[in-house]
Amino acid sequence: MTVVPFFIIVSLGAAFLISVFGKHYKRSSDYLANSACFILLALSLYTLNLICKTPNHILVYRVGGWIPPIGISMVIDCLTPFMLITVNLVAFLIAIYSINYMERYTDKWKFYTLFMLMLAGMNGIIITGDIFNLFVFLEIAAISSYALVAFGTEAEELEASFKYAVMGSVGSSFILLGIAILYSYTSTLNMADMAKAITQKGPAKILPFVSVLFLMGFGLKAALVPFHAWLPDAHPSAPAPISAMLSGVLIKVLGIYALSRIFFNVFGMSQAVSRIFIILAIASMVVGSILAFGQSDIKRLFAYSSISQIGYIVLGLAIGTPLSIMGGLFHLFNHSIFKSLLFLNSGVIEHSIGTRDLKKMSGILYKMPVTGYTTLIGALSICGIPPLGGFWSKLIIIFACIQANHPVLALIAIFVSILTLAYYFKAVTPALFGREDGQDYKSFRKKASWAMNASMIALATLSIISGLMLVPNLGAGLLKDATSVLANGISYANLVFEALK
Amino acid sequence: MLTYFLCFILFSIGVYCVLRKRNLIKIIIGLGIIEYAGNLFFALIGYRTEGRSPILTQDQAIKNMVDPLPQALVLTAIVIGLAVTALMVAIAIRIYEKYGTFDITKINKLKG
């Protein structure tokens, strides 16, 4: 049980050490950040093992020895290790990639400090059981991401960062206001206690108001469609590892995980809220993929496709049957793998060719085989081509739509999947397979180092084999247990209080 | 009850300021107003009529105290607000160096 606070201790401690030593000892920031990420990954796997062995599959850590609801609690249930593994796995591979990629920026240690702070914020959001604590970690992650978007300090990056910061802080203020109102209604900040108080007091008029505030605040962090305007600017402007981090895990942890934790486990999903979620999800899916059509900038294309894929995840979660929740969570995992892979690839491409314009690229597959083939795998997976991971999660979501008597939703999901295939085909195929060019082949190959290639190959392999997670005895237990946490809804409170006894 | 409504009006003034103003610095000030309105609301929730400060001494009963928890939370929220404001002012200064203006209609290199 004492392993729980180490997720925050390791990442915050690494951020501190890097800021102290990084300036004077040049390589120390690389070693510190990578070993911290490795430790975090090992810890999340250990937590998964631990949670399988405990009865009831729940662990509650009392911070400072105070018994919740008085003190802050950290709750590990089956959903937590699933999210922790997703985040820390992607972060570890991105940290390996950054060793060489970030050489072209000055002050690499500042990058690693902010990176570890962001990771601390995300791990904190995942393991906390206290709603104000969640807000604090959310702000830690958000503020470091504002700074990281502006890391290159070019005109466009600063502009994108300012836009992101303004929208992000307005969203955070709405969340804080929602927490204040919720506190005045329930007189507690502990999420389990809050769920209990809400069920005891019965439905009140204040809850829809708070729901709207949270929906707007967290929806902005998740870039659901009416609140998506910052994402296509902010994600492409950041350095490639950070784009991968933002699109891969940040929007999911800050937005979707926090939303689903609060709406499923604290408020309890109602019909009306689920309908609103479905509408937002459909809007994100359709608008994101239509806007992606016109893009010629490779990173903007990926950013718009993130919006559309986030729609799939929210659709799966919003329908609310166990099968659809499982599809949503599985798509969350898959999307974090292949979207970070694609952004890392875009970094290598930008690095070697010197442009992000898709029209000026051709024959990447022949010039840079590793980058080319991994991009191909990522793109095929996101389009949902059968043996790859993305296919299975989309298939589950579509089946779940039909099973829950929403054939229209299933049709829209299929339609958007075809749209996805179309815009990736239109944009990426000429860049990968195109023949005509007069550029020097050999100079390209040298620029991607073995560490960058290794992390890209690892991500590509993961996105090929992630379909195996559905096989019983391999990963199906993990997915099913994570699903049951959300599907059980507000019985989360009883589990937490039982674990405290 | 009136104080809560005034709080929400202050919040709306901040949102209006962020949405309508064209100067970067004014937008940052608008965000400050939003934060203060939120913090004020939080502090008001802990207020009890005729309440005294929440310090427990030996001979006093725990009666008629204001709620100390929101005050602690507001302190945290103020620190977070300070960090955001400092970062945004720093970015605004860098933007001024690059574009030579604070007017957001002229800062439009990105397509949006």
Side-chain angles (χ1 to χ4, degrees), chain A residues 87 130 132 134 141 145 147-148 215 250 274 288 321 342 382 395 419 449 456 496:
Chain A
V87 169
D130 182 280
F132 191 75
L134 187 143
S145 70
L148 280 168
L215 196 64
L250 190 94
S274 135
T321 60
L342 286 174
I382 207 169
L395 191 71
L419 274 184
S449 72
M456 289 186 316
V496 170

Side-chain angles (χ1 to χ4, degrees), chain A residues 82 87 90 105 136 293 300 307 469:
Chain A
F82 174 76
V87 169
V90 172
Y105 292 89
V136 172
F293 257 104
R300 280 182 90 85
I307 297 175
M469 271 183 78

Side-chain angles (χ1 to χ4, degrees), chain A residues 158-169:
Chain A
L158 292 167
E159 187 188 334
S161 169
F162 193 83
K163 193 174 178 183
Y164 178 27
V166 169
M167 294 187 75
S169 5

Side-chain angles (χ1 to χ4, degrees), chain A residues 66 145 183 225-226 241 259 268 270 327 372 431 464:
Chain A
W66 296 93
S145 70
Y183 173 73
V225 141
L259 261 184
S270 66
I464 292 173

